[in-house]
Amino acid sequence: MSKTSEILDKQKKYLWPNHLAYYGEPLPLDHGDGMYVWDVEGKKYLDFFGGILTTSVGHNHPEVTKAAQQQVEKIIHTSTLYPHENYVNLAEKIAEISPRELQVSYFTTSGTDAVETAVLLAKTHTGYQEVVALRHGYSGRSAMGMTLTGQAGWRIGSTHIIGIKHALNPYCYRCPLKLKYPECGVACAEDVADLIKTTTSGKIAAFLAEPIQGVGGFITPPPEYFEIVVEIVHRYGGLFISDEVQTGFGRTGEKWFGIEHWNVTPDIMTMAKGIANGFPLGNTITTTEIAESTLGAGLTISTFGGNPVSTAAGLATIEVMQKEANPEHVAEVGNLLRAGLDELFEKYLVIGDVRGKGLMQGIEMVVDRESKEPATKAITHLFEETRKLGMLIGKGGLYGNVVRISPPLISTKEDIENALEMFDVAFARVQEAI
Ligand SMILES: Cc1ncc(COP(=O)(O)O)c(C=O)c1O
């Protein structure tokens, strides 16, 4: 029996059947190094999904590994009851790279937890209860996370938190208002005022959105979108929470956080995934003034939040990014990737749209460009072809027809060229089979 079959058999027997996995036959991984991972049979893959946008500086970066190992030998766990130098130093470091107003952090262990913490803070600060989120957004797997999420497929059962409304999202390729940008005047953004006036009590605690939707399929808003919406949100008493779980830490190029592309300053930002190169860590950052409102509001604790090992890894990750993979580097290689994908768009009709920023680029696959019918079979085929060629990619979108390309930020020009060649071969095979 192969190692793969052994693992898959045990997975089937001992784990819940709803563990989502890619490929006809799921792919058990064994080890990783930089841009590459190896499966348990020894086959090597170029990782162009980056562990769901998480291995920011590549698998097992020696500096991150060393920082974590050294910390493991000193103390693994303290809990936030006992302040630790790693988490205060990481909070300081994150304050340095965040928009100037955002200075104070609350560490947790995941993106879901960071989002929960942000919404709780907004409710506590404003005294209001209702929250506006975006259709097609993804916010995590807790009851609150699933309710904030704007996709039926990611909600289990009938879990539902009251007081959450979903605004139209700025999905220009499939405009919810059937309009065309820029003649539309970004009507989807203006509609947020109507949504608040007609479906809430008239005052909201928060508007939560991703600067570029991740699981939604790297949906990228028009540049004016956030300026219009954030003004409306503040007018109706709410705080703006920018969910940076996917877009944070240089992923989108040029800037440290995705929202900085859109000319607005959030009141709160959530972060996780790329923060510690794969170690579990979440963070919610806000202004000193907003954070003050938590004082006396009730007790809260996170047993593993700010864990010394995860925060050691977080510190090392940011230091490595500053040296080897800063936002300027990401913009440079991201532009190269985008130019290559735009060329593939010219070649393959199965590609309906290419979008994103930096090293967060999406390809929406369609049966034909006229009907824009989601090409779900073709994307399944593309996954198998890229796997054969030795490259990992991600998937997203309400219809599961968007390829998510998000390699580690240390990607070089050669890595991008290598990936583009594999995409070219794989798309040719997929197009031919249609
Ligand atoms: C934007 C966004 N927010 C929150 C989450 C939840 O993060 P986690 O899976 O770490 O709980 C995710 C996960 O994909 C995400 O993409």
Side-chain angles (χ1 to χ4, degrees):
M1 192 189 245
S2 72
K3 185 91 182 153
T4 302
S5 320
E6 214 177 287
I7 293 172
L8 295 184
D9 282 356
K10 275 193 195 168
Q11 158 112 5
K12 205 163 171 201
K13 197 163 168 199
Y14 297 113
L15 287 129
W16 288 17
N18 63 348
H19 279 81
L20 182 71
Y22 284 154
Y23 307 108
E25 179 179 83
L27 176 60
L29 294 181
D30 184 64
H31 63 282
D33 183 15
M35 295 294 299
Y36 293 92
V37 290
W38 283 257
D39 70 17
V40 291
E41 310 299 337
K43 184 172 161 70
K44 181 181 176 184
Y45 303 85
L46 179 65
D47 185 1
F48 254 53
F49 195 28
I52 327 184
L53 300 85
T54 299
T55 44
S56 310
V57 294
H59 292 274
N60 294 20
H61 192 288
E63 286 180 42
V64 179
T65 303
K66 191 168 149 214
Q69 278 169 340
Q70 284 177 343
Q71 186 55 48
V72 166
E73 280 165 22
K74 278 170 84 182
I75 190 166
I76 293 172
H77 176 74
T78 58
S79 93
T80 47
L81 289 180
Y82 308 97
H84 189 275
E85 74 171 329
N86 289 357
Y87 87 66
V88 296
N89 287 342
L90 182 59
E92 180 184 36
K93 191 94 186 157
I94 294 175
E96 274 166 28
I97 61 170
S98 292
R100 182 168 49 80
E101 293 80 352
L102 305 181
Q103 288 294 299
V104 287
S105 284
Y106 194 102
F107 289 112
T108 50
T109 52
S110 69
T112 301
D113 212 345
V115 166
E116 289 271 353
T117 306
V119 172
L120 182 69
L121 175 64
K123 290 184 178 184
T124 308
H125 181 74
T126 61
Y128 305 131
Q129 291 301 308
E130 285 149 299
V131 178
V132 174
L134 278 185
R135 295 184 194 182
H136 299 243
Y138 181 84
S139 297
R141 58 184 302 281
S142 63
M144 169 75 79
M146 285 193 288
T147 315
L148 287 165
T149 292
Q151 302 188 43
W154 288 106
R155 292 198 194 98
I156 298 177
S158 56
T159 305
H160 195 70
I161 302 269
I162 56 163
I164 294 173
K165 309 291 172 186
H166 291 89
L168 299 170
N169 80 332
Y171 189 2
C172 295
Y173 184 64
R174 296 180 190 273
C175 174
L177 296 168
K178 308 270 181 284
L179 299 171
K180 272 246 161 321
Y181 178 79
E183 299 83 58
C184 62
V186 202
C188 57
E190 301 290 352
D191 188 63
V192 172
D194 207 51
L195 180 89
I196 296 172
K197 282 188 285 187
T198 58
T199 71
T200 74
S201 60
K203 289 284 185 192
I204 60 167
F207 166 71
L208 177 140
E210 302 157 73
I212 293 178
Q213 288 182 327
V215 176
F218 290 3
I219 297 170
T220 311
E224 312 86 332
Y225 177 80
F226 277 101
E227 272 183 274
I228 300 170
V229 175
V230 171
E231 186 280 318
I232 294 170
V233 168
H234 285 158
R235 200 182 333 141
Y236 290 94
L239 301 182
F240 169 42
I241 302 168
S242 179
D243 186 344
E244 299 278 351
V245 168
Q246 297 213 11
T247 51
F249 297 97
R251 171 59 57 189
T252 58
E254 274 178 71
K255 316 279 183 188
W256 281 103
F257 293 93
I259 199 62
E260 295 176 276
H261 291 283
W262 306 135
N263 227 6
V264 289
T265 306
D267 301 296
I268 304 171
M269 291 198 306
T270 57
M271 36 190 98
K273 290 197 189 292
I275 188 172
N277 213 38
F279 283 84
L281 188 64
N283 185 32
T284 305
I285 193 168
T286 188
T287 67
T288 309
E289 187 213 331
I290 294 171
E292 292 280 327
S293 52
T294 58
L295 274 178
L299 301 176
T300 189
I301 194 170
S302 172
T303 302
F304 298 122
N307 170 274
V309 182
S310 292
T311 46
L315 269 169
T317 301
I318 300 176
E319 279 161 16
V320 174
M321 282 183 202
Q322 286 174 322
K323 282 187 290 184
E324 299 175 24
N326 61 28
E328 288 72 35
H329 168 79
V330 176
E332 202 181 314
V333 285
N335 286 341
L336 202 69
L337 172 64
R338 179 53 177 270
L341 297 179
D342 286 339
E343 276 176 33
L344 296 180
F345 173 84
E346 297 303 328
K347 252 174 119 172
Y348 302 109
L349 290 171
V350 73
I351 300 179
D353 193 28
V354 178
R355 55 180 179 250
K357 273 191 180 295
L359 287 175
M360 186 173 182
Q361 298 287 339
I363 297 178
E364 176 145 4
M365 294 177 66
V366 290
V367 172
D368 73 85
R369 289 183 180 178
E370 193 78 14
S371 71
K372 298 185 180 174
E373 189 189 323
T376 41
K377 268 199 196 133
I379 196 168
T380 304
H381 188 182
L382 186 84
F383 263 69
E384 298 300 336
E385 290 300 338
T386 45
R387 175 182 183 166
K388 272 191 241 160
L389 289 165
M391 176 167 67
L392 303 187
I393 54 175
K395 196 188 279 192
L398 184 62
Y399 315 103
N401 66 326
V402 182
V403 183
R404 290 198 285 163
I405 306 170
S406 49
L409 310 180
I410 52 159
S411 296
T412 60
K413 193 168 167 271
E414 290 69 38
D415 295 320
I416 302 289
E417 283 164 358
N418 192 359
L420 286 169
E421 269 170 40
M422 284 194 259
F423 272 122
D424 198 5
V425 175
F427 270 111
R429 289 180 189 164
V430 170
Q431 189 77 66
E432 210 179 283
I434 288 171

